[in-house]
Amino acid sequence: DLHRWLCVEQAAVCCPDGFYGPNCDPCPTCFGNGKCKGNGTRKGNGKCACDEGYTGDNCDSCTEEYYQAFRDEAKLLCSRCHKACAAGGCTGAGPNACRVCRSGWVMDPARGGCVDVDECIKEAPCTGQQFCVNNEGSYSCLECDKSCDGCNGDGPDLCEKCATGYELRDGMCTDTSNEKRNQYATFTRYLTYLGLCIATCIVLQNSTWLAALVGLAVAVYISVSEYWLNTAPQQPAAPSPRILDEILQQH
């Protein structure tokens, strides 16, 4: 064994596995739940560095947040207490084995030990534009939907009142701002058409045939504009240059 011959026997800077210190003294067993400090080296004090949940000089006891799940002469198994248990630990598995309940839980032996407190009902801790969600041992405050002015849950169907720009329709707060903008745009467009017609009549009142010609052009403009506005989403964006070339060649 090159390692043993070179590091342990010749250089004297190592120890065999399971030994520690200048004299390579034997390490404690740590009950299988920890490591010997200095194991395999000429350093360390040989004390046990226990794994999580274990304590004692030989890692042969459970910490206060763990309970003894199994033990015999050579092995100890510690398991974590239920999350409802506060410092002080427990006597076994489950919330009914807690010695003291953690904050957010209350002891109720009839219901199986530590029972979660519903802070949303008991305290109403959230603001007017939030709704409360109960968690085990705690709670969360989440923002209401933008369509709500106060709410009881997530979504536009759980609003207490609708926010400005929204109306209650089919049980949901619905955005009406686009409809009002569209109505305003339509009114403005028709007003513009009327202005064009009146301006044509005033400017060209001395020339009947010219007024008729310009009026016809205005009417065509209005008709094409309305047709384009009503059908634009279904029409292609624009003809390709190749198609335009073919049309020009035909004429």
Side-chain angles (χ1 to χ4, degrees):
D1 188 336
L2 180 61
H3 175 268
R4 182 180 182 87
W5 177 81
L6 180 62
C7 191
V8 178
E9 298 176 358
Q10 300 301 317
V13 294
C14 303
C15 289
D17 187 46
F19 296 83
Y20 77 97
N23 302 320
C24 288
D25 298 320
C27 285
T29 63
C30 299
F31 228 64
N33 299 315
K35 297 178 178 62
C36 171
K37 294 181 179 180
N39 179 41
T41 72
R42 299 277 175 155
K43 301 177 181 180
N45 56 17
K47 292 185 177 180
C48 292
C50 298
D51 298 335
E52 183 181 2
Y54 299 89
T55 187
D57 292 340
N58 199 33
C59 302
D60 54 359
S61 300
C62 300
T63 59
E64 65 175 9
E65 293 187 357
Y66 287 73
Y67 66 94
Q68 181 176 299
F70 172 81
R71 188 184 188 107
D72 61 16
E73 295 180 355
K75 183 67 176 176
L76 169 67
L77 176 62
C78 295
S79 297
R80 184 182 287 275
C81 294
H82 190 272
K83 58 186 175 182
C85 301
C90 59
T91 58
N96 60 333
C98 298
R99 292 190 176 94
V100 180
C101 295
R102 193 183 297 274
S103 176
W105 306 76
V106 63
M107 179 61 74
D108 187 349
R111 296 172 60 189
C114 293
V115 178
D116 175 50
V117 175
D118 191 341
E119 292 87 355
C120 297
I121 297 176
K122 184 178 180 181
E123 302 175 12
C126 300
T127 65
Q129 279 300 101
Q130 295 178 327
F131 64 96
C132 184
V133 177
N134 184 56
N135 307 321
E136 284 193 332
S138 184
Y139 66 92
S140 300
C141 289
L142 304 180
E143 295 297 324
C144 294
D145 189 86
K146 64 180 181 179
S147 64
C148 298
D149 181 8
C151 64
N152 299 312
D154 188 22
D157 56 331
L158 295 175
C159 301
E160 293 178 357
K161 294 191 299 181
C162 294
T164 303
Y166 294 83
E167 292 181 0
L168 186 64
R169 296 181 180 177
D170 298 326
M172 299 179 63
C173 288
T174 305
D175 186 3
T176 58
S177 57
N178 287 334
E179 294 179 5
K180 293 179 179 179
R181 281 195 294 267
N182 291 337
Q183 292 174 358
Y184 177 77
T186 301
F187 173 76
T188 303
R189 189 168 71 251
Y190 288 150
L191 191 63
T192 301
Y193 297 157
L194 178 62
L196 285 173
C197 295
I198 294 174
T200 301
C201 294
I202 293 175
V203 173
L204 303 174
Q205 58 182 334
N206 294 328
S207 178
T208 304
W209 68 270
L210 186 58
L213 184 62
V214 175
L216 179 62
V218 170
V220 170
Y221 167 75
I222 293 174
S223 301
V224 171
S225 298
E226 288 299 311
Y227 176 78
W228 182 83
L229 287 173
N230 292 327
T231 60
Q234 289 78 33
Q235 298 298 323
S240 67
R242 184 177 61 82
I243 295 176
L244 288 175
D245 290 340
E246 292 177 357
I247 295 174
L248 291 174
Q249 290 173 4
Q250 291 174 0
H251 294 278

